[in-house]
Amino acid sequence: MKEGIILAIETSCDETSAAVVTTDRKILSNTLHSQEDLHSKYGGVIPELASREHILRIDEITKSAIQNSGINLNDITAIACTYTPGLIGSLLIGISYAKGLALSLNKPLIGVDHVKAHLRSYEIEFTDPQYPIVGLVVSGGHTLLYIIKDDFEESLLGTTLDDAAGEALDKIAKLLGFGYPGGPVIDRISKPLPQKLIQFPSVKTKSEYDFSFSGLKTYALYLLKGQDMRGKERELNEDELKTLCASFQECVVDELLSRIKRAVSDTNVNSVAITGGVAANSRLRDKIGQYCQKNRLNLYIPSVKYCTDNAAMVANYAIKLYERDLFSPLDLDAIPTKKYEHSHR
Ligand code: KG4
Ligand code: ZN
């Protein structure tokens, strides 16, 4: 095993984060500045504001990651950064900063795919995961279902045909005036769970491993308007709003769970991993916890701080690339969108 210390930088969306991690996966530091307050009033991330904020924060966040880790800059053996997917301006700031460091310290650069970093983020806390694993990455930008074969290989089973699950939660929250990000607010408001939930229709997709959330969003919109079959509208009261939130959350959670359950039963896999921002959702954690316990499956869900965007998961994935000498050239480009292909169809 190749030893070393990785400095990783994450700036793909609205979090500026830096982490120092040893190749035996000790997190020496993981610093983060969230831009939630900046974007909240707009109900979503404003790309230009995000880039500007990254520029203001990246130096102090990286310096405090180095300082908190107790190592010297010269002890670092490689510099990693997220290069895809994400907001182009935001990605470029992390990449440029990482390139500058790599060049001046004469250390190799490692470009990391943000989605792959999420997918493997359970490795930060689960040191001996049992493969193969049915792995779901569920965030504001992605909903991807994988069979994870071993510590480096995976194949895609399904993906969303429209919105990501987090995006759907954020959009409904925006309609309700809850600010951004909406997922955590919906999670909070839905507790304690109302006794009676509204039944949403379940979604059928051509491939039974794919997801679709746009129809559910429209259904929620009609309910929100209090629209009856004759199209008459009325304001919902507080209890009705809570019930709507909790019911929408429940249907998103159930859509996610149904695909996981199908993948588990089709493949006879004994382990499940859920990662990405939406994996922080308490209802999803409860329901998948119960299912895995009942069916004696291993469950790997990171702590909340490793579900949402963070540089420790970027470092974790970078270690795999470092061990295989998969370094990036210094002209590494930012790639804002990436298509994740099905390999099973
Ligand atoms: O992974 P992440 O931080 O960024 C992306 O790569 O997109 O995920 C952010 C998403 C947002 O849509 C946010 O609303 C959602 O994760 N999220 C949650 C919760 N915490 C964050 N959704 C539901 N319940 C939560 N507790
Ligand atoms: Zn993310």
Side-chain angles (χ1 to χ4, degrees):
M1 201 58 83
K2 227 173 112 184
E3 282 185 19
I5 303 177
I6 312 276
L7 166 66
I9 292 169
E10 157 63 39
T11 60
S12 66
C13 189
D14 59 340
E15 261 95 24
T16 319
S17 180
V20 178
V21 180
T22 62
T23 47
D24 56 357
R25 293 193 163 71
K26 269 196 210 77
I27 313 268
L28 302 182
S29 63
N30 184 33
T31 55
L32 183 136
H33 173 258
S34 167
Q35 303 178 3
E36 270 177 28
D37 292 346
L38 182 67
H39 302 290
S40 179
K41 57 178 171 291
Y42 303 105
V45 177
I46 308 294
E48 180 61 20
L49 295 183
S51 327
R52 289 175 189 217
E53 190 67 8
H54 283 306
I55 292 177
L56 293 178
R57 300 288 177 167
I58 191 153
D59 200 44
E60 67 180 76
I61 285 293
T62 311
K63 280 181 180 152
S64 58
I66 305 276
Q67 206 165 32
N68 297 351
S69 72
I71 59 146
N72 292 316
L73 207 50
N74 279 318
D75 298 331
I76 289 165
T77 40
I79 317 285
C81 61
T82 303
Y83 78 100
T84 191
L87 302 171
I88 182 101
S90 296
L91 286 169
L92 277 172
I93 287 148
I95 295 175
S96 309
Y97 193 92
K99 280 181 185 174
L101 267 180
L103 198 62
S104 61
L105 296 172
N106 197 23
K107 306 287 174 180
L109 180 71
I110 306 176
V112 172
D113 176 324
H114 182 84
V115 169
K116 296 286 172 75
H118 269 306
L119 179 68
R120 301 289 179 160
S121 56
Y122 58 85
E123 294 173 346
I124 297 171
E125 293 161 298
F126 297 93
T127 48
D128 187 23
Q130 302 301 299
Y131 294 101
I133 299 172
V134 169
L136 177 74
V137 184
V138 63
S139 70
H142 294 90
T143 308
L144 295 159
L145 186 66
Y146 283 95
I147 294 289
I148 307 175
K149 294 177 179 164
D150 56 32
D151 74 326
F152 199 55
E153 222 196 312
E154 64 271 333
S155 65
L156 187 66
L157 286 180
T159 184
T160 181
L161 304 176
D162 37 64
D163 288 357
E167 190 181 358
L169 289 165
D170 290 343
K171 284 179 179 166
I172 292 301
K174 184 180 179 183
L175 283 175
L176 296 170
F178 292 155
Y180 172 87
V185 185
I186 291 187
D187 192 351
R188 203 169 53 242
I189 288 180
S190 303
K191 279 189 259 188
L193 214 59
Q195 290 209 321
K196 224 171 160 254
L197 293 176
I198 305 160
Q199 190 67 42
F200 275 65
S202 74
V203 176
K204 293 237 174 338
T205 47
K206 208 163 131 205
S207 157
E208 49 188 15
Y209 295 125
D210 281 342
F211 305 85
S212 170
F213 296 103
S214 67
L216 298 173
K217 236 175 32 193
T218 311
Y219 196 85
L221 180 65
Y222 278 108
L223 292 172
L224 176 64
K225 288 183 168 176
Q227 205 161 330
D228 63 20
M229 295 308 278
R230 290 181 303 278
K232 277 198 180 153
E233 291 182 14
R234 67 177 177 82
E235 290 261 311
L236 300 192
N237 65 35
E238 212 171 292
D239 277 350
E240 288 172 321
L241 274 180
K242 179 184 161 95
T243 303
L244 175 56
C245 273
S247 306
F248 186 66
Q249 173 182 269
E250 197 73 6
C251 89
V252 170
V253 166
D254 287 345
E255 286 297 314
L256 299 174
L257 286 184
S258 72
R259 307 311 194 266
I260 290 176
K261 288 178 186 173
R262 192 168 293 144
V264 167
S265 76
D266 288 355
T267 56
N268 280 320
V269 162
N270 287 321
S271 306
V272 172
I274 309 187
T275 54
V278 180
N281 183 266
S282 57
R283 186 68 181 148
L284 177 61
R285 294 172 89 97
D286 281 354
K287 284 190 114 171
I288 190 70
Q290 285 165 21
Y291 164 74
C292 287
Q293 199 175 26
K294 198 169 150 212
N295 293 280
R296 295 172 193 275
L297 303 170
N298 304 307
L299 176 60
Y300 309 124
I301 306 190
S303 305
V304 168
K305 67 175 175 185
Y306 297 129
C307 288
T308 46
D309 288 351
N310 67 91
M313 70 179 192
V314 177
N316 176 68
Y317 199 81
I319 292 168
K320 297 172 190 298
L321 301 172
Y322 177 79
E323 284 170 345
R324 292 166 176 83
D325 288 332
L326 294 172
F327 300 117
S328 304
L330 276 177
D331 62 355
L332 174 72
D333 251 342
I335 303 180
T337 49
K338 187 169 167 188
K339 199 164 164 36
Y340 295 88
E341 304 283 355
H342 288 272
S343 52
H344 271 191
R345 283 190 268 151

